[in-house]
Amino acid sequence: MKPLVATAWPRAGLLGNPSDLYGGKGIGFVFHNWCAEVRFQSGSGCDDNSLLEAAIEEFSARSGKPVASGCLLGNSNIPRQVGLAGSSALVIAALRVLSGIHKVDWSVSQLAECAWAVENDRLGIVSGPMDRLIQAHQGLLVMDFADHAEERLSTSLLPEMRILVDSQTGQVSGDVHARIHTRFHQGDAEVCEVVAQYRPLVERGLLALLEGDLEVLADCVDKNFDLRASLYPISTRDLEMIAGVRDCGAAAKFCGSGGAVLAVARAGVDFVGLAAKARDSGWDIVVPQVEPSA
């Protein structure tokens, strides 16, 4: 059998509670500066990778098909543990390969649901559906987690953006989410009050995005980070990135759970100055490569 290859891309959250577990709304997109690739080939020598092993187990359980003789080999250059959904990208790519081999015609939502189960159920990683939905659908996606509904939007709506990555930071996102998730389900008043503010914030930002009101959208992006910072501890390095972005005249929030920051343009933004600040501070900075909508 010739080797089969599939890819998946990192995602950035534009608005919403990262990897939402609380029935809210979110907006996010994939970008193509990095990727995860999984290859199936005959023979032995599988990667010793818990994500790939769990993907095989969950695929087999859901499809009812034993996985063909062979192995999965994974490769990813997505920066790790900086909130770019690198682990779920690897799982999505693995499931795409397995679906192709076994001719399983899953819907995009089924693919995302399976990928979520791989990490949540099989590996015990606390996470929400956002990452997998965005990576399964690709492009720019609006998600309503209460109604279990998704809508793809034209990527032409997106403003000018930059993504900053700090290789010196990094933590497992599941650990970040687990603490707040526990407090929420215990009825913690502080957590519940903050969580309740995300849905109207996303709805306001979505309207601004659709109407091309980038100043209101930028205000929503800044507020999104401020809500997060009211609940979660933020590292000094992350705070420096957020401040650096805002000092150059852009709005700033995490792409996910910290370590990578999304900079969204406002009028008069100085992205040249931000690039210089990034070089001086040891941050990587990229223009997210977002594919035009079909």
Side-chain angles (χ1 to χ4, degrees):
M1 176 185 295
K2 291 183 178 179
L4 297 178
V5 181
T7 56
W9 315 98
R11 70 89 191 90
L14 180 63
L15 287 172
N17 194 358
S19 209
D20 190 285
L21 286 159
Y22 311 101
K25 295 186 73 170
I27 307 173
F29 59 92
V30 297
F31 58 101
H32 291 224
N33 301 69
W34 302 286
C35 76
E37 178 183 280
V38 174
R39 176 184 299 268
F40 179 90
Q41 65 182 35
S42 302
S44 58
C46 279
D47 283 353
D48 183 16
N49 185 304
S50 60
L51 289 167
L52 298 182
E53 292 168 359
I56 291 172
E57 292 171 0
E58 188 66 23
F59 173 84
S60 182
R62 286 178 178 254
S63 66
K65 296 185 177 184
V67 172
S69 177
C71 62
L72 293 182
L73 303 175
N75 183 45
S76 175
N77 62 2
I78 300 172
R80 297 184 65 235
Q81 295 183 359
V82 293
L84 295 177
S87 61
S88 58
L90 202 63
V91 172
I92 288 282
L95 293 175
R96 283 176 172 152
V97 166
L98 293 170
S99 298
I101 293 168
H102 296 280
K103 298 180 172 55
V104 174
D105 188 19
W106 278 345
S107 69
V108 176
S109 294
Q110 287 174 316
L111 173 65
E113 183 181 351
C114 183
W116 189 20
V118 168
E119 295 190 69
N120 265 318
D121 300 341
R122 297 206 173 262
L123 297 177
I125 300 171
V126 177
S127 61
M130 179 183 285
D131 298 353
R132 294 100 192 140
L133 282 168
I134 297 170
Q135 290 168 319
H137 282 272
Q138 305 186 102
L140 173 62
L141 192 69
V142 180
M143 297 150 286
D144 188 321
F145 303 110
D147 294 340
H148 305 287
E150 303 90 41
E151 179 185 3
R152 287 191 72 194
L153 301 178
S154 171
T155 55
S156 65
L157 294 169
L158 287 168
E160 186 177 5
M161 299 176 291
R162 299 291 187 273
I163 289 176
L164 287 78
V165 177
D166 184 5
S167 60
Q168 293 185 30
T169 64
Q171 56 184 320
V172 179
S173 61
D175 295 342
V176 176
H177 295 304
R179 294 187 292 272
I180 299 301
H181 186 247
T182 298
R183 289 174 61 189
F184 177 80
H185 285 284
Q186 291 172 343
D188 184 292
E190 180 187 19
V191 173
C192 292
E193 179 183 355
V194 171
V195 165
Q197 296 181 58
Y198 277 105
R199 175 176 281 271
L201 177 69
V202 173
E203 290 173 345
R204 180 172 178 242
L206 175 59
L207 182 61
L209 184 68
L210 294 172
E211 293 181 345
D213 190 338
L214 301 186
E215 288 303 305
V216 171
L217 176 63
D219 287 344
C220 291
V221 169
D222 273 340
K223 177 63 174 178
N224 205 119
F225 174 79
D226 294 342
L227 284 175
R228 180 179 183 84
S230 71
L231 283 183
Y232 294 82
I234 310 295
S235 74
T236 299
R237 295 281 297 183
D238 281 340
L239 287 173
E240 289 172 352
M241 276 199 293
I242 293 290
V245 170
R246 291 179 173 178
D247 287 347
C248 86
K253 67 177 291 293
F254 288 154
C255 293
S257 298
V261 168
L262 178 67
V264 176
R266 293 181 179 273
V269 66
D270 179 16
F271 277 141
V272 174
L274 179 60
K277 173 68 174 176
R279 287 193 298 271
D280 292 342
S281 301
W283 309 324
D284 294 326
I285 182 169
V286 299
V287 179
Q289 298 171 8
V290 180
E291 288 197 343
S293 298

